[in-house]
Amino acid sequence: MLRTGLAIAALVGFAAAQTVTLQAESATLSGVTVASSVAGFTGTGYVEGFDESADKITFTYNATESKLYDLSLLYNGPYGDKYTYVVLNSAGGSQVSLPSTTTWTTVSAGQVLLAAGANTIEIQNNWGWYLIDAITLTPSAARGPHKITTTPVNKNANADAKALLSYLGSIYGKSILSGQQDQASLDWVTQNVGKTPAILGVDLMDYTESRISRGASSIDVDHAIAHAKKGGIVTFVWHWGSPVGLYETTAQPWWSGFYTVATDFDIADTLAEPTGANYTLLIKDIDTIAVQLKKLQDAGVPVLWRPLHEAEGAWFWWGAKGPEACKQLWHILYERLTTHHKLNNLIWVWNSVSPAWYPGDSVVDIVSADTYAEGDHGPISATYNNLLSLTNDSKIIAATEVGSIMDPAQLKAYQADWVYFCVWSGDYISAGKWNSLEFVKKVYADEYVLTLDEVQGWKG
Ligand SMILES: *[C@@H]1O[C@H](CO)[C@@H](O)[C@H](O)[C@H]1NC(C)=O
Ligand SMILES: *[C@@H]1O[C@H](CO)[C@@H](O)[C@H](O)[C@H]1NC(C)=O
Ligand SMILES: *[C@@H]1O[C@H](CO)[C@@H](O)[C@H](O)[C@H]1NC(C)=O
């Protein structure tokens, strides 16, 4: 059966034939029906009646070759903001937002790698209550060479930091560095996979006063120095327990004090009063962790430094009061550590995707995202593409925390050029649910994935 859109495309010649429109009313319908009362649709009707969880439209498209396509949905949303779920060839899938609208509207549904031959694209119910007119498939434009900067934003960056960013630039788009959060989990990989991750991820969490005074301690800095001595690369996150205002209840114990729900510490109020006691406590915490970062600098260890992570999620107190307070805090942190403490071994890794949160090109070396999708080894390409447009491709992009590791073949096919992945600790790597041991072995054996033995001498 030849679809309407294909026939039209064939008539208007080669260039237009690049985009294929598949009408919903011609697709296979399950639990949904064709309607025509809301005017302005294309083809002979649209599909409505997404009200049961199993409701779906299945489009079939025969591709002549395996190729990456941009997928769009043409929809109408008279019943408010909704989500749909798009599934290619019965595997994986991605949620697509359908904002409220009373006109027929085109929305991007990301990219799909079609196989040669028959492919299915399902529009599954999810939130339901929207109208689908058609989908379009357009071959994704080949991306030109990257335009990234590989000189650190800190003018006084030392030779170690310069070498690290330059090395990342040299492999960007050609390889991905393997990374593992936490020394014990990295050791698990070494023992069970037979390869050691190139990057060790560790935390400055337990180096501040509010936690040390309650019994916390850490040797993560020592682990980092040891990993660097073996020729590896290190990254630090900072689960910054709020300096004051911890609830310390059974439900919100002190050790969860980086969470918004565990403290009444207000970052916006604190920053509004630079002479206040709470501002002083904030600076004191920064000065405390500066001592640790200095140890790393003195040991010749450059650090992929990722403070104020996942801010846009608002579940950590530094993101709880919105983007302005968070960006201001980032600038304070940057100034205090680089100018005041003369820490020149830091590569500044920003970790929110939304443009509203971005603190600016002059204080960010790398942009990144944290993504958890259990058992999904997809390339996280929609997020990668959002990060590309965040800086207009001027900064290297990293997958700083993942649950399930991306399949290297898909990374290449989707041109999702994450420079490194770092798997979160514990069960994420070792329990077999997020990543089977067989899959982890396959990833670590892939030539696209660089391991500790393969990054030796990266300092040049
Ligand atoms: C699509 O390909 C399948 C086999 O892969 C074939 O059976 C079917 O007829 C094709 N459909 C169209 C419209 O070409
Ligand atoms: C400092 O923060 C604590 C904890 O949120 C709060 O109780 C206190 O009122 C703040 N102090 C000032 C002067 O704002
Ligand atoms: C992005 O980069 C292109 C090419 O370098 C340039 O023409 C364009 O103005 C840039 N856009 C922004 C928003 O910086």
Side-chain angles (χ1 to χ4, degrees), residues 269-330:
D269 284 354
T270 299
L271 296 180
E273 208 190 333
T275 55
N278 286 351
Y279 194 99
T280 304
L281 288 174
L282 203 64
I283 300 301
K284 191 169 166 235
D285 273 359
I286 299 173
D287 292 349
T288 305
I289 57 110
V291 173
Q292 303 306 322
L293 294 168
K294 181 78 170 26
K295 278 188 204 164
L296 291 154
Q297 175 163 282
D298 292 346
V301 180
V303 174
L304 296 166
W305 170 230
R306 185 170 67 97
L308 309 192
H309 68 295
E310 298 173 17
E312 66 189 336
W315 44 78
F316 297 130
W317 58 259
W318 50 87
K321 299 294 161 181
E324 296 315 316
C326 182
K327 286 188 278 191
Q328 195 185 338
L329 181 58
W330 179 272

Side-chain angles (χ1 to χ4, degrees), residues 59-322:
F59 295 90
T60 304
Y61 179 64
N62 282 2
T64 50
E65 57 178 325
S66 177
K67 202 191 236 183
L68 193 62
Y69 285 79
D70 297 335
L71 174 67
S72 292
L73 307 184
L74 185 52
Y75 80 102
N76 205 320
Y79 308 116
D81 294 339
K82 305 294 175 195
Y83 280 91
T84 185
Y85 200 67
V86 177
V87 175
L88 172 69
N89 294 331
S90 309
S94 59
Q95 184 161 273
V96 177
S97 165
L98 302 178
S100 176
T101 174
T102 51
T103 55
W104 293 99
T105 303
T106 299
V107 70
S108 167
Q111 291 174 305
V112 285
L113 180 65
L114 298 188
N119 292 270
T120 59
I121 296 167
E122 290 176 4
I123 306 292
Q124 298 182 353
N125 183 54
N126 202 301
W127 286 21
W129 300 102
Y130 43 74
L131 318 178
I132 300 290
D133 183 14
I135 63 170
T136 63
L137 290 165
T138 308
S140 301
R143 208 173 45 222
H146 286 295
K147 298 171 283 181
I148 50 160
T149 314
T150 55
T151 307
V153 287
N154 173 10
K155 303 279 175 292
N156 299 317
N158 67 18
D160 296 323
K162 284 180 184 162
L164 178 53
L165 197 59
S166 161
Y167 174 69
L168 295 181
S170 75
I171 63 160
Y172 190 55
K174 302 185 187 97
S175 301
I176 188 167
L177 294 167
S178 55
Q180 180 57 53
Q181 185 71 24
D182 199 50
Q183 184 67 49
S185 293
L186 181 128
D187 292 341
W188 184 90
V189 174
T190 304
Q191 282 148 24
N192 291 276
V193 178
K195 294 262 189 180
T196 300
I199 297 182
L200 169 66
V202 272
D203 204 321
L204 282 183
M205 177 166 72
D206 287 328
Y207 288 95
T208 51
E209 183 59 31
S210 76
R211 297 180 71 94
I212 292 170
S213 64
R214 291 173 172 84
S217 66
S218 175
I219 52 167
D220 271 7
V221 169
D222 307 79
H223 286 316
I225 292 172
H227 187 69
K229 285 219 168 87
K230 291 179 192 159
I233 295 168
V234 301
T235 180
F236 271 88
V237 66
W238 183 18
H239 281 93
W240 186 356
S242 76
V244 64
L246 297 170
Y247 293 140
E248 299 198 73
T249 61
T250 312
Q252 306 300 341
W254 64 264
W255 43 261
S256 66
F258 35 80
Y259 284 121
T260 302
V261 293
T263 175
D264 65 7
F265 184 65
D266 185 320
I267 186 59
D269 284 354
T270 299
L271 296 180
E273 208 190 333
T275 55
N278 286 351
Y279 194 99
T280 304
L281 288 174
L282 203 64
I283 300 301
K284 191 169 166 235
D285 273 359
I286 299 173
D287 292 349
T288 305
I289 57 110
V291 173
Q292 303 306 322
L293 294 168
K294 181 78 170 26
K295 278 188 204 164
L296 291 154
Q297 175 163 282
D298 292 346
V301 180
V303 174
L304 296 166
W305 170 230
R306 185 170 67 97
L308 309 192
H309 68 295
E310 298 173 17
E312 66 189 336
W315 44 78
F316 297 130
W317 58 259
W318 50 87
K321 299 294 161 181

Side-chain angles (χ1 to χ4, degrees), residues 147 361 389-394:
K147 298 171 283 181
D361 283 344
S389 36
L390 177 64
T391 73
N392 201 9
D393 196 15
S394 66

Side-chain angles (χ1 to χ4, degrees), residues 378-391:
I380 323 175
S381 66
T383 304
Y384 180 85
N385 289 338
N386 288 339
L387 287 166
L388 265 186
S389 36
L390 177 64
T391 73

